[in-house]
């Protein structure tokens, strides 16, 4: 595909990623789940992962499910120390690859991996398919499966060649951007390249689903890492350029991000996926752009699975009851409606346990008090009055990003913080001219976003995001 047909921002792929930061390493299959035998997704007698609608007896091919199950088995295979278990993980991964090879279709020089069942999306109108149908998400993910299998020492040369031939065929499908059927990739009218998880009946029409495109990009990364293919690198660059340019459409400020560009429906169950995926885009490219986008998503709707101890500074505080699930989770029909509020005053600093930290719909970040006199009440996050002790929700940078302290001899406080939130040291610094320092992560530290410095006299200290800029962009505090 000629580069002039699509926008390229020049994102480059990183060659020396640590193992844990490479694609799919965060999604291992647990040993307890290596042989699923019940439910809608389970193994047949050949160890092939099939979809059984409504738990029935007839299984159908589900290429994304097969690829992801196989990749999870490879990830577990890499870390498993028991030889017998390792053999099962590898056997499961290879069974999925062999199934995909056996059932693929070929058209216009590309390999296509069909879904074997009819499908209509429960929420997104127009996503309605009669089998067989094809998905760009699947086309990209099977590349990862084939390439990662081919890279294992235990795979013989003959099978390695077969797997790479299958990866070549799948890659060819992502390069077909002109009209034809089947299709899974297109260049839109503004020159942006898309991999469509849900291609439409007409070429170029689709759901423009964000997570499906990024998961497919992992296949491009794996193929490039294995072969050095400039075509795969260019396609990844084109995808990353699209994702960056369309981040404002994915983002739903101060709430759950949108699932796709066509319907723009907030997706509570996919927001954390978006956070994880943008983190990996940052690692794969080394670009601070995607770290910055990750931080915005974390601030918009942080994962509610954070708990700990809330520090109340002495003075008056307002507590709230919101209409939520019993656990404190958001419920669409309830909408976090305010039920009541009250003011309390503490004559000295005090603490209370919190079972949840999350954004309340239409409001800020709040903590749910889980025990004591105020159990069931929420208090707003305010780093100077009420805050969750400790370091939470870190976003790891690779490479380090650059924090810039202001000039003009402005005082900036920095902190060393223990895991329980205890501040063990404070350093106040000031500079006549703007001064740079590397930072390896951002986190919510005692109730406010901070960056951790990794070099110089401030090594190990946290600096509030509101006090500095990061990579020449204002960091939102």
């Amino acid at each position: 595909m000629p580069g002039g047909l699509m926008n390229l921002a020049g994102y480059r792929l990183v060659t020396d990623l640590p193992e844990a930061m490479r694609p799919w390493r965060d999604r291992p299959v647990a040993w307890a789940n290596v042989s699923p035998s019940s439910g809608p997704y389970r193994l047949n007698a050949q160890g092939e992962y099939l979809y059984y609608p409504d738990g029935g007896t007839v299984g159908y091919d589900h290429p994304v499910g097969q690829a992801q199950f196989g990749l999870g088995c490879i990830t577990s295979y890499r870390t498993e120390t028991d030889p017998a278990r390792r053999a099962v993980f590898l056997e499961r991964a290879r069974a999925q690859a062999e199934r995909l090879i056996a059932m693929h279709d070929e058209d216009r020089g590309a390999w296509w991996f069909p879904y074997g069942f009819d499908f209509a999306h429960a929420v997104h109108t127009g996503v309605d398919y009669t089998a067989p149908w094809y998905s760009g998400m699947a086309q990209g993910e099977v590349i990862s499966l084939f390439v990662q299998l081919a890279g294992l020492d235990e795979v013989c040369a003959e099978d390695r060649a077969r797997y790479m031939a299958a990866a070549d065929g799948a890659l060819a499908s992502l390069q077909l951007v002109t009209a034809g059927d089947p299709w899974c990739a297109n260049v839109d009218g503004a020159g942006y390249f898309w991999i469509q998880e849900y291609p439409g009946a007409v070429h170029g029409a689709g759901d423009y689903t964000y997570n499906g495109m990024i998961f497919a990009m992992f296949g491009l990364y794996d193929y490039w890492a294995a072969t050095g293919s400039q075509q795969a690198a260019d396609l990844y660059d084109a995808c990353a350029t699209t994702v960056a340019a369309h981040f404002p459409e994915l983002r739903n400020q101060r709430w759950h991000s949108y699932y796709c560009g066509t319907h723009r429906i907030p997706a509570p169950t996919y927001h954390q996926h978006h956070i994880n995926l943008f983190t990996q885009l940052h690692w794969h490219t080394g670009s601070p752009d995607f770290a910055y986008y990750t931080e915005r998503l974390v601030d918009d709707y942080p994962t509610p699975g954070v708990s700990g101890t809330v520090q109340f500074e002495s003075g008056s505080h307002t507590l709230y009851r919101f209409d939520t699930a019993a656990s404190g989770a958001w419920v669409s029909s309830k909408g976090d409606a305010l039920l009541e509020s009250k003011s309390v005053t503490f004559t000295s600093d005090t603490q209370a346990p919190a079972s949840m930290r999350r954004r309340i719909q239409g409001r800020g970040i709040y903590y749910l008090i889980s025990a004591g006199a105020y159990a069931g009440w929420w208090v707003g996050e305010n780093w100077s009055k009420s805050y969750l002790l400790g370091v939470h929700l870190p976003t790891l940078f690779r490479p380090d990003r650059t924090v810039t302290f202001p000039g003009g001899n402005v005082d900036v406080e920095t902190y060393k913080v223990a895991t329980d939130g205890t501040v063990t040291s404070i350093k106040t610094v000031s500079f006549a001219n703007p001064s740079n320092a590397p930072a390896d992560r951002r986190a919510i530290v005692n109730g406010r976003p901070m960056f951790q410095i990794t070099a110089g006299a401030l090594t190990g200290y946290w600096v509030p995001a509101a006090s500095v800029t990061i990579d020449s962009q204002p960091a939102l505090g």
Side-chain angles (χ1 to χ4, degrees), residues 194-440:
W194 293 88
I195 298 174
Q196 298 283 357
E197 179 177 353
Y198 297 114
V202 177
H203 187 269
D207 212 40
Y208 289 82
T209 306
Y210 298 108
N211 84 90
M213 174 154 159
I214 298 173
F215 276 122
M217 291 169 65
F218 292 174
L220 297 172
Y221 179 93
D222 280 332
Y223 191 92
W224 167 83
T227 68
S229 165
Q230 189 60 48
Q231 289 178 319
D234 287 345
L235 286 177
Y236 191 106
D237 182 10
C239 289
T241 301
T242 298
V243 170
H246 286 267
F247 179 75
E249 287 90 64
L250 174 143
R251 188 184 181 194
N252 183 16
Q253 291 193 40
R254 295 170 63 86
W255 201 237
H256 310 119
S257 48
Y258 296 112
Y259 179 79
C260 73
T262 296
H263 296 89
R264 291 180 59 77
I265 297 172
T269 57
Y270 278 84
H271 184 81
Q272 187 60 47
H273 283 308
H274 291 156
I275 290 172
N276 295 339
L277 292 170
F278 273 84
T279 298
Q280 292 182 72
L281 293 183
H282 163 60
W283 295 340
H284 297 168
T285 63
S287 170
D289 297 352
F290 298 107
Y292 181 84
Y293 302 145
T294 301
E295 293 160 6
R296 303 292 72 76
L297 295 174
V298 168
D299 291 344
D300 285 336
Y301 194 89
T303 175
V306 170
S307 59
T309 300
V310 175
Q311 174 78 16
F312 288 91
E313 301 294 332
S314 61
S316 296
H317 299 266
T318 302
L319 304 182
Y320 302 86
R321 286 193 188 275
F322 299 111
D323 196 4
T324 70
S327 65
W330 175 76
V331 178
S332 177
S333 61
K334 296 176 180 289
D336 289 341
L338 176 63
L339 300 177
E340 58 179 317
S341 64
K342 66 179 179 181
S343 180
V344 299
T345 300
F346 301 118
T347 57
S348 60
D349 297 350
T350 190
Q351 295 180 347
S355 59
M356 183 173 291
R357 174 189 186 267
R358 76 167 176 90
R359 183 173 295 282
I360 297 298
Q361 188 169 2
R363 294 173 176 264
I365 305 297
Y366 286 74
Y367 310 125
L368 177 60
I369 307 304
S370 57
Y374 303 111
W377 290 83
W378 297 79
V379 63
E381 180 171 86
N382 183 326
W383 68 267
S384 64
K385 294 185 63 178
S386 53
Y387 48 90
L388 194 68
L389 292 169
V391 178
H392 302 283
L393 303 179
T395 299
L396 304 181
F397 306 146
R398 192 177 192 279
D400 287 353
R401 297 171 71 192
T402 301
V403 164
T404 301
F405 289 81
N409 295 310
V410 175
D411 285 344
V412 175
E413 286 190 336
T414 65
Y415 308 86
K416 269 198 173 177
V417 181
T419 55
D420 64 357
T422 301
V423 176
T424 59
S425 177
I426 299 176
K427 279 188 179 181
T428 301
V429 297
S430 62
F431 304 95
N433 298 307
S435 180
N436 294 336
D440 72 341

